[in-house]
């Protein structure tokens, strides 16, 4: 009888240790999954910012800037993106200025000006040229 009680006690003790080990493994796995999730979020955050800014530029909002947090590849990409955004803004402003100047010159000419493409489709005409077309 004493041997039976010792065997049952030993079995309960071993079973309890197995459950404790199993619980520890589950807790460790959850901890590592949480750490992996947080690291993934930290790494992909700058990429999401760059994607959002690129979508803004594609929608016509050219003054997109990304904060540069690091000097690694993502930081250099953010810097290049900011430079591209600035250069694109400057280029578009120059184009608008040139177009405004051209429109001013054409509207003040007394001679008719008509610009066509190779298929003779009219691309540009001033007010004096409109009377002759």
């Amino acid at each position: 009888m004493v041997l039976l009680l010792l065997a049952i006690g030993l079995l309960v003790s071993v079973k309890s240790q197995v459950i404790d080990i199993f619980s520890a493994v589950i807790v460790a796995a959850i901890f590592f999954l949480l750490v992996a999730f947080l690291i993934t979020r930290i790494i992909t955050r700058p990429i999401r910012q760059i994607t959002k800014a690129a979508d803004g530029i594609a929608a016509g909002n050219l003054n997109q800037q990304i904060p540069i947090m690091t000097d690694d590849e993502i930081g250099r990409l953010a810097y290049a993106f900011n430079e591209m955004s600035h250069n694109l803004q400057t280029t578009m402003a120059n184009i608008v200025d040139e177009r405004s100047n051209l429109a001013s010159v054409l509207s003040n000419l007394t001679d008719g000006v008509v610009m066509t493409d190779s298929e003779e489709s009219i691309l540009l005409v001033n007010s004096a040229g409109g009377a002759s077309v």
Side-chain angles (χ1 to χ4, degrees), residues 35-54:
V35 168
F37 174 75
L38 292 174
I39 289 172
T40 301
R41 295 287 292 181
I42 290 169
I43 290 172
T44 60
R45 183 174 172 209
I47 296 171
R48 287 191 311 270
Q49 288 177 327
I50 292 170
T51 302
K52 183 178 177 182

Side-chain angles (χ1 to χ4, degrees), residues 10 17 28 32 36 38 42-44 47-48 50 57-58 78 80-81 86-87 90 94 107 113 119 121 126 130 132:
L10 183 62
Q17 288 176 354
F32 286 121
L38 292 174
I42 290 169
I43 290 172
T44 60
I47 296 171
R48 287 191 311 270
I50 292 170
I57 285 180
F81 184 91
H86 175 73
N87 291 342
T90 303
N94 289 341
S107 68
V113 176
E119 284 88 34
S121 298
N126 69 349
S132 65

Side-chain angles (χ1 to χ4, degrees), residues 20-113:
D20 288 343
I21 292 172
F22 184 70
S23 297
V25 168
I26 288 176
V27 168
I30 291 171
F31 173 75
F32 286 121
L33 285 174
L34 182 62
V35 168
F37 174 75
L38 292 174
I39 289 172
T40 301
R41 295 287 292 181
I42 290 169
I43 290 172
T44 60
R45 183 174 172 209
I47 296 171
R48 287 191 311 270
Q49 288 177 327
I50 292 170
T51 302
K52 183 178 177 182
D55 289 341
I57 285 180
N61 185 2
L62 301 182
N63 62 350
Q64 299 290 321
Q65 292 292 304
I66 300 167
I68 300 171
M69 304 290 192
T70 62
D71 273 345
D72 61 0
E73 288 81 9
I74 298 294
R76 288 193 297 267
L77 179 61
Y79 177 80
F81 184 91
N82 291 343
E83 284 295 309
M84 178 191 68
S85 175
H86 175 73
N87 291 342
L88 189 56
Q89 274 184 289
T90 303
T91 301
M92 289 303 293
N94 289 341
I95 289 171
V96 167
D97 286 345
E98 290 297 322
R99 179 172 260 185
S100 175
N101 290 341
L102 178 62
S104 177
V105 167
L106 287 175
S107 68
N108 290 316
L109 282 177
T110 56
D111 295 330
V113 176

Side-chain angles (χ1 to χ4, degrees), residues 3-19:
L3 284 176
L4 182 61
L5 287 174
L6 283 173
I8 290 173
L10 183 62
L11 185 63
V12 168
S13 173
V14 168
K15 186 176 179 182
S16 174
Q17 288 176 354
V18 169
I19 290 173

